[in-house]
Amino acid sequence: MFRPKLFGAHIEPACEYCRYGTGIRDNQMILCEKQGVVAPYYSCRKFVYDPLKRIPHPTPKLQQFDKDDFTL
């Protein structure tokens, strides 16, 4: 009936993944349509979550196995 949320039920507001925020070239600040240039973890009352702006964690490296690992 209910689908689980992508990143949990409670998402901390941050301009880094707000609909109105856009990253600047230096990757240190966010250009907000409503507030101007702000820090990535700043948030205001106009925060609207955009899940497509979240950057996923990198996948962990897989272990290397030999043929001997699979013999009994």
Side-chain angles (χ1 to χ4, degrees), residues 1-17:
M1 183 180 236
F2 292 106
R3 293 177 52 198
K5 302 280 185 186
L6 288 175
F7 294 98
H10 179 69
I11 298 167
E12 289 291 325
C15 287
E16 186 174 31
Y17 42 86

Side-chain angles (χ1 to χ4, degrees), residues 18-43:
C18 176
R19 177 170 55 168
Y20 301 115
T22 306
I24 300 177
R25 283 188 180 190
D26 66 357
N27 293 329
Q28 299 293 322
M29 302 298 276
I30 302 294
L31 179 60
C32 178
E33 293 178 18
K34 305 294 182 180
Q35 299 289 324
V37 179
V38 295
Y41 295 105
Y42 174 78
S43 66

Side-chain angles (χ1 to χ4, degrees), residues 16-71:
E16 186 174 31
Y17 42 86
C18 176
R19 177 170 55 168
Y20 301 115
T22 306
I24 300 177
R25 283 188 180 190
D26 66 357
N27 293 329
Q28 299 293 322
M29 302 298 276
I30 302 294
L31 179 60
C32 178
E33 293 178 18
K34 305 294 182 180
Q35 299 289 324
V37 179
V38 295
Y41 295 105
Y42 174 78
S43 66
C44 65
R45 287 191 263 156
K46 300 288 185 179
F47 174 78
V48 178
Y49 178 63
D50 185 3
L52 297 177
K53 290 190 177 181
R54 293 289 290 255
I55 299 172
H57 297 291
T59 56
K61 299 268 185 189
L62 296 176
Q63 295 178 354
Q64 298 296 324
F65 293 106
D66 313 14
K67 261 187 159 181
D68 297 333
D69 293 332
F70 297 102
T71 58

